[in-house]
Amino acid sequence: MQIRDFDVDLFLREYWQKRPLLIRNPWNAWRNPLDPDELAGLACEEDVESRLVTRYAGGLAMESGPLAEDRFSKLNGSWTLLVQAVDHHSPEVAGLIEPFRFVPDWRIDDVMVSYATDGGGVGPHFDQYDVFLVQGLGQRRWRVGPRCDAATPLLPHDDLRLIVDFEATGDWILEPGDILYVPPCFAHDGVAVGDDCMTYSIGFRAPSRAELVEGWCEHQVDGLGDEDRYADPDLPIQSNPGEIAAPAIDRLHAMVMEALSDRDAFARWFGLHNSLPKYAETDWRPEEAVDTQEVRGLLAQGVPLSRNPASRFSFIRQGEQVILLFVDGHCFDCAGDLAGLAEKLCAGSSLVVDPGLSASAEVIGLIAALIDQGSLAFDEGD
């Protein structure tokens, strides 16, 4: 599905991470990509993250999946089902990401899908990430409030971060195909208007400073030797032995900063860290290592390659000739033909490799490695 008449430059300049925006059905032809029964089926599976939020007289209650198959037949009143990473299981839902790829892929998290009965919702809350809320089926009333932060009062609840005093600054009813963009930390509350309400939440991630510092420091510590210690061969006599003198602090601080200041090493670590898959799914991983001769033959025939929708692909340029390709927590140094191939692998969900590259041992080796780790597969049809 394609979005028409959407000014990306204007959106990024005026709205992205600045203020909410309602976009009335901009699709060429909107079609709900997932049946409610399919969503319910996913919520019953062991390897799928799901939540059920029910409304009762005293407020909201949440239970985590997997849900029993007969759970839905026992529900009464208002309730909401939320299922994470549905794009990993449905190509049609994964297709919803494509129009929003003006945001770099490394920022994409997943597509969460919710289904709600009349009055269903998760209450007024705020998130730490950008989200495009696409109304798929039925109607939902969205109210958006001011920006929140860690000091915003929350209701006492074990599972849900609900805002105590929610005052809406915007109030809209979304019809199928409508989109509401909500920046990070803006309060919002969605309530189903009527039954059979489905919403697709295309979420983006942003690492926190704490997460980056912790991960990068831990990575660097693993590579430091025990003999790399503080030294002061030019130690002077101090007037007071109890003082930690400024030259010592300078030297200690320099030891730490030098260990963390290698930008190229940080780039490689971040590529690995950021490409780790959200869930440890192995459905695409073959039971045995792929035969390189078979790979060569399929490439020569022009058989397309498809990316595992659960996989994360990205690359970083290292100089003019080398590209570091990151796929599902693995790094591949790519130069020459491999550099061009790496860029194409990151550009879209499928690729036909130039048959002329089928004679390249490096190309065969890279594709075979990605197939073996479950990130790629040949699309041979039936």
Side-chain angles (χ1 to χ4, degrees):
M1 288 181 282
Q2 298 296 320
I3 289 181
R4 65 176 188 272
D5 300 329
F6 181 65
D7 190 331
V8 173
D9 290 332
L10 176 66
F11 171 78
L12 292 176
R13 185 173 64 251
E14 300 291 336
Y15 295 95
W16 176 253
Q17 298 204 330
K18 302 173 187 70
R19 53 187 172 132
L21 174 66
L22 174 64
I23 309 166
R24 289 295 184 189
N25 197 338
W27 309 89
N28 286 332
W30 173 255
R31 181 181 62 83
N32 183 47
L34 189 72
D35 186 89
D37 289 339
E38 294 179 81
L39 185 69
L42 286 173
C44 299
E45 296 186 11
E46 287 281 348
D47 59 346
V48 176
E49 182 182 353
S50 61
R51 293 165 289 161
L52 179 66
V53 179
T54 53
R55 186 178 295 278
Y56 63 101
L60 297 171
M62 194 195 85
E63 57 188 279
S64 298
L67 303 174
E69 291 185 9
D70 63 350
R71 181 70 181 93
F72 301 103
S73 63
K74 299 177 181 178
L75 291 170
N76 295 306
S78 299
W79 54 271
T80 298
L81 172 67
L82 305 106
V83 183
Q84 294 289 154
V86 179
D87 53 306
H88 295 184
H89 307 280
S90 167
E92 291 77 13
V93 173
L96 289 178
I97 296 174
E98 194 64 30
F100 303 101
R101 290 186 71 203
F102 53 83
V103 181
D105 286 354
W106 73 267
R107 294 288 312 278
I108 295 171
D109 190 8
D110 67 359
V111 182
M112 182 186 76
V113 184
S114 66
Y115 174 90
T117 60
D118 187 31
V122 299
H125 64 285
F126 68 95
D127 302 306
Q128 301 288 350
Y129 50 81
D130 302 88
V131 63
F132 289 94
L133 300 161
V134 181
Q135 189 63 23
L137 192 66
Q139 296 179 319
R140 187 182 290 272
R141 179 190 182 193
W142 281 106
R143 295 184 299 152
V144 177
R147 192 186 296 269
C148 302
D149 56 31
T152 299
L154 301 177
L155 292 172
H157 198 291
D158 291 337
D159 302 304
L160 301 171
R161 293 170 51 83
L162 304 178
I163 298 170
V164 173
D165 297 313
F166 176 69
E167 295 184 4
T169 57
D171 191 332
W172 308 279
I173 292 181
L174 270 64
E175 304 280 350
D178 290 345
I179 304 171
L180 177 63
Y181 164 70
V182 182
C185 298
F186 274 79
H188 54 287
D189 180 28
V191 179
V193 179
D195 291 329
D196 288 336
C197 172
M198 290 187 72
T199 302
Y200 298 82
S201 302
I202 299 157
F204 296 82
R205 55 192 175 135
S208 69
R209 190 189 303 267
E211 177 188 348
L212 290 173
V213 171
E214 180 182 26
W216 174 229
C217 288
E218 287 182 355
H219 174 81
Q220 288 299 85
V221 164
D222 288 342
L224 297 177
D226 191 53
E227 69 281 357
D228 184 8
R229 291 178 175 270
Y230 175 84
D232 48 8
D234 54 351
L235 180 66
I237 297 175
Q238 295 184 184
S239 60
N240 188 330
E243 179 185 7
I244 304 176
I249 291 295
D250 290 342
R251 188 171 290 178
L252 291 163
H253 183 253
M255 288 180 67
V256 174
M257 299 309 295
E258 287 169 8
L260 302 176
S261 63
D262 188 331
R263 186 185 183 281
D264 288 341
F266 174 81
R268 182 180 288 265
W269 165 80
F270 181 73
L272 290 167
H273 169 76
N274 187 74
S275 70
L276 288 169
K278 186 169 185 175
Y279 303 102
E281 299 178 32
T282 59
D283 291 349
W284 281 46
R285 189 173 298 165
E287 294 182 1
E288 298 181 359
V290 67
D291 182 84
T292 54
Q293 288 299 108
E294 181 182 357
V295 172
R296 188 186 306 276
L298 291 172
L299 290 180
Q301 296 171 40
V303 177
L305 286 161
S306 293
R307 280 170 34 175
N308 184 338
S311 291
R312 287 173 167 167
F313 284 69
S314 58
F315 70 88
I316 293 175
R317 299 187 190 279
Q318 192 174 67
E320 295 183 2
Q321 304 297 327
V322 177
I323 277 179
L324 303 181
L325 172 64
F326 301 98
V327 185
D328 294 338
H330 297 271
C331 179
F332 304 88
D333 291 55
C334 300
D337 290 338
L338 284 186
L341 177 60
E343 289 190 62
K344 291 177 180 178
L345 285 170
C346 294
S349 59
S350 62
L351 170 70
V352 175
V353 178
D354 182 350
L357 295 178
S358 62
S360 168
E362 292 80 7
V363 168
I364 300 299
L366 174 61
I367 292 175
L370 294 175
I371 292 174
D372 286 341
Q373 71 181 42
S375 305
L376 275 183
F378 280 105
D379 185 2
E380 300 183 74
D382 296 333

